[in-house]
């Protein structure tokens, strides 16, 4: 079987999970596509995913109420080996990339991280993923059992069909939890989440101040219904929350349009947004590296250009 | 206690990537210690400086040139270094086998590893090594304290961050904000030349890579690079809005 692990939030299956379903189906490997749901009080999640896969395996346990890499790895490895899974698909979220290496080691399998394409060729699997801060596309080949994390957004989301897969409760041998979570800080935004937005308006040090950011970057984002992004420089400076950071150590986005305001275009920033469909850059320095990957560029002062854009939009 | 910090030598971020014969060509390029690994080394040094009796051992696996970053690590303050020299292209699961074996040989209590390296963009080495050692792990760590044989700190998760407590031995992977790595001083660079840098051969670790790299390519998306005339801000703004509306089709 092809085993995929269901990601969900607020009792609903995440888009990334439907992308795993597409990835599994297009592979054309033998056996059913089975979805594993881990958690506590997850009946609605299990019923929802049953509309998209061939089999649903459910472990509804109080100990699984909160994510833990050791627990998740133990559960996934056990189910994969009992079901003789050829391929284990996991979402390329932070948590997915956190426990998937453990699953690979437990199964003595190969690990492919954050893949964007996947094909089967007999016993072989061929995948592509980005390396060198998303500047290089590396093609790799593996044999045998593979544990694979899939880059969010790389595959289209599968739609649920009319058939409903059977659900099975599974027994698990779980290890004790060693990482104790003592507190949690969530991300709050009233806008579209960054990773799901069609348009991202992002600002950097060139915006000048936290106040100007509110006026120019948030102003433009709200005018066009976009999400807000930021560079590390201004997150470090305390102008914006880390949740908005785009780049190597922040979020990766690939919206239809990315509007970069007062951003120089450092490699670490570009690695988080260089797959955007259209890139629009506004910077006073015509030599700024951001213009090398821009579709539309405006050389000039953000304090003049952004208010002019806002005026135009309000017309 | 003994702390291992895993060091990877990567292409300097300011350097462009060049491809030769279907693979990234690092010949003659500026190579540096990965910044995410610097955070780990710096944190290990701070633990030692905070008064916990600590030996800091820097470890690298890779070609002969990796000794440059290990000398750097020694100059920053590591006590000694281990270099497993190989030209083999090892995947992360294979590398974790070597790392775990070294941790066992060295009776390490704590391992630092970079959150994401700037060459293979992998997040996996820390967790894979932890699994082999049957240790717990914490990833994307941006605050850390060692006290009475356990760790407390803060790390990034899917949506937001968490504070945590975890027993030692353990693996910690780094995230921005953990610290500001120091620069080696001239006297320390001199001292580093006398520190132990032990070479090990890869053969003893019996690793069999499972992943074969078929090709590396730079697929540059063609960008229009259409520069708008900005002499008149209002005219430029109106042109941009037209493009967003009619070409990119992202506004109504
Ligand atoms: C390990 C590591 C990880 C990193 N991860 C990230 C990451 O995830 N995300 C990230 O963003 N960075 C990251 N960085 C930092 C990155 O290297 C850059 O320092 C950062 O992206 C720069 O931010 P910036 O463009 O806002 O600032 P700057 O580089 O200072 O650029 C400001 C730009 O604004 C322009 N400007 C100034 N005034 C005006 C004006 N009035 N009108 C128009 N333009 C103006 C300037 O010409 C300049 O190009 C990382 C670095 C390291 C080492
Ligand atoms: N060949 C290598 N030699 C030494 N350390 C390595 C090597 N490969 C990866 N690492 C370490 O692995 C850590 C993170 O690995 P990764 O899973 O690639 O993010 C980094 O801190 C590096 O120190």
């Amino acid at each position: 079987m092809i085993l995929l692990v269901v990601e969900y939030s607020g009792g609903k299956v995440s888009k990334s999970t439907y992308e795993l379903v597409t990835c599994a189906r297009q592979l054309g490997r033998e056996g059913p596509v089975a979805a594993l749901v881990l958690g506590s009080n997850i009946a609605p999640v299990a019923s929802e995913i049953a509309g998209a896969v061939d089999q649903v395996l459910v472990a509804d346990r109080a100990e699984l109420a909160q994510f833990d890499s050791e627990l998740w790895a133990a559960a996934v490895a056990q189910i994969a080996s009992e079901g003789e899974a050829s391929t284990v698909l996991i979402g390329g979220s932070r948590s997915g990339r956190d426990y998937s290496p453990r699953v690979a080691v437990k199964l003595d399998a190969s690990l492919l991280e954050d893949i964007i394409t996947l094909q089967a060729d007999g016993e072989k699997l061929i995948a592509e993923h980005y390396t060198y801060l998303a500047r290089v596309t590396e093609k790799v080949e593996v044999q045998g059992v593979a544990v694979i994390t899939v880059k969010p957004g790389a595959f289209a989301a599968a739609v649920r069909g009319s058939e409903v897969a059977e659900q099975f409760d599974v027994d698990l041998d779980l290890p004790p939890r060693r990482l104790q979570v003592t507190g949690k800080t969530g991300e709050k935004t009233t806008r579209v989440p960054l990773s799901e937005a069609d348009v991202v308006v992002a600002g950097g040090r060139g915006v000048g101040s936290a106040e100007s950011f509110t006026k120019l970057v948030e102003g433009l984002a709200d005018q066009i219904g976009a999400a807000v992004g930021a560079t590390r420089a201004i997150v470090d400076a305390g102008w914006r929350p880390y949740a908005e950071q785009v780049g190597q150590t922040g979020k990766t986005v690939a919206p239809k349009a990315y509007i970069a305001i007062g951003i120089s275009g450092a490699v670490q920033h570009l690695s988080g947004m260089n797959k955007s469909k259209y890139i629009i850059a506004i910077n006073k320095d015509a030599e700024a590296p951001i213009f090398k990957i821009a579709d539309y560029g405006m050389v000039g002062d953000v304090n003049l250009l952004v208010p002019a854009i806002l005026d135009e939009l309000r017309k | 206690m003994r702390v291992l910090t895993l060091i990877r030598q990567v292409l300097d971020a300011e350097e462009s990537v060049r491809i030769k014969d279907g693979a990234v060509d690092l010949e003659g390029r500026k190579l540096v210690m990965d910044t995410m690994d610097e955070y780990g080394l710096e944190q290990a040094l701070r633990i030692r400086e905070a008064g916990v009796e600590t030996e800091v051992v820097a470890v690298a696996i890779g070609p002969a040139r990796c000794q440059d970053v290990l000398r750097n690590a020694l100059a920053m303050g590591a006590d000694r270094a281990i270099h497993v020299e190989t030209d083999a292209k090892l995947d992360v699961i294979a590398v974790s086998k070597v790392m775990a074996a070294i941790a066992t040989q060295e009776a390490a209590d704590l391992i630092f590893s970079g959150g994401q390296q700037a060459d293979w963009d992998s997040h996996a080495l820390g967790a894979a090594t932890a699994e082999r050692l049957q240790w717990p792990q914490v990833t994307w760590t941006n605050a850390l304290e060692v006290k009475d044989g356990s760790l407390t700190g803060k790390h990034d998760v899917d949506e937001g961050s968490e504070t945590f407590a975890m027993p030692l031995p353990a693996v910690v992977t780094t995230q921005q904000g953990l610290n500001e790595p120091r620069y080696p001083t001239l006297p320390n660079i001199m001292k580093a030349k006398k520190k132990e840098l032990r070479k090990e051969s890869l053969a003893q670790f019996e690793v069999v890579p499972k992943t074969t790299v078929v090709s590396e390519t730079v697929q540059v998306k063609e960008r229009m690079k259409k520069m708008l005339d900005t002499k008149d801000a209002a005219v430029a703004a109106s042109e941009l809005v037209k493009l967003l509306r009619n070409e990119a089709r992202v506004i109504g």
Side-chain angles (χ1 to χ4, degrees), chain A residues 113, chain B residues 5-8 36-37 59-62 92 95 99 112-117 120-126:
Chain A
E113 286 179 86
Chain B
T5 72
L6 310 184
I7 307 290
R8 209 164 160 88
M36 297 293 271
D37 295 343
V59 184
I61 300 169
V92 62
V95 174
M99 291 303 180
F112 283 104
S113 170
Q116 176 194 343
Q117 264 98 30
W120 55 4
D121 287 13
S122 167
H123 299 184
L125 185 61

Side-chain angles (χ1 to χ4, degrees), chain A residues 175-188:
Chain A
R177 193 181 278 267
R178 290 189 283 189
L179 179 78
Q180 301 298 332
V181 177
T182 52
K184 233 177 158 55
T185 316
E187 290 178 2
K188 280 183 225 88

